[in-house]
Amino acid sequence: MKTINRLKFIAINTKALAATALLVSPVASFASIFGEDERITVGQIMDAFIKQVPGGEKTNTIDTLKSGNREIVVTGVVTTMFATIEVIRKAISLGANFIIAHEPTFYNHTDDTKWLADDDVYQYKMNLLKQHNIAVWRNHDYIHSLVPDGVLKGDVDELQWQKFEDKTIPYLFDFNSGRKLSDLISELKSKLGIKMVRYIGNLNQPYQKVLFMEGSAGGKTQISATSKIKPDVLVCGEISEWETAEYVRDARAKGNQLSLIVLGHIASEEAGSVYMAEWLRKNFPQLKVTHVPAGNSLSFD
């Protein structure tokens, strides 16, 4: 569910590169601003994070509070991909009243709830949040707008791919030759905690260039980037099977050495919530912060 404008693979904005030096390391702990004993509110945490994003506050964003309000005094924070009912219950057990989720809480991109007004699942979830005075903030557009992208940074840290990052093309990684597609699949599964992936390609195919596009960038973005950059492997979070997968199938039939690995949306972006938890611990050390993985909603047979 990413906005396409954040995946600009061809021209890298010089201004954004200059901002990298300021944003790779978060600012000094906000504890020094608010004081170790001062109560921290939901709004203060939101504002502190937004200030580190190039351009600051966005006028048109899905990153809004889905429950609660800015004035709630935070007793603890949970970071996660989805504020599921299970995650909410875990937050309650931890004594946390602020959940920072990366994806929607109410089953659609904008978290529109008018169509759910009479739905018993929605009602139960919202009542649970209200009963325990829990604020839920979606941090999607802002974390993806960091330089570097905060979610990708989380993935890179989990995979330990820092030394392979291409310095000129975002999302591209350049590995030494001699490794096979099967090795890459095993590494992704092991380091990102994925039980299984879907792929197109020859498991014995060697690779060097890997284009890693976490989340759901969309078929046109994935295909356009692949066409321009010519990676050996395209790693995606989520795809439309009738778009990206068919392009890769035709590319291979044409003779291109191109493979595809589909991780799953949650698996490809959960590390971003780990990054968010680390940011909170550094900037608000007086708060108890817990990363609670949402897990995969689907099972595999």
Side-chain angles (χ1 to χ4, degrees), residues 80-93:
T80 189
M81 270 288 287
F82 285 91
T84 65
I85 289 176
E86 289 88 350
V87 169
I88 295 169
R89 288 171 177 163
K90 180 64 175 179
I92 294 168
S93 71

Side-chain angles (χ1 to χ4, degrees), residues 159 161 164 173 175-176 178-192 194 197 199-200 202-212 231-236 259-263:
L159 292 167
W161 282 6
F164 303 115
F173 297 83
F175 297 84
N176 296 326
R179 304 182 69 192
K180 300 183 297 184
L181 181 65
S182 59
D183 299 324
L184 177 58
I185 290 175
S186 296
E187 180 180 10
L188 290 167
K189 289 168 65 177
S190 174
K191 291 183 177 179
L192 297 180
I194 305 172
V197 301
Y199 74 95
I200 298 174
N202 183 339
L203 291 174
N204 291 317
Q205 172 196 314
Y207 70 90
Q208 182 174 346
K209 292 185 177 181
V210 175
L211 185 59
F212 191 102
D232 300 307
V233 185
L234 171 62
V235 178
C236 296
S259 294
L260 171 69
I261 301 174
V262 183
L263 305 175

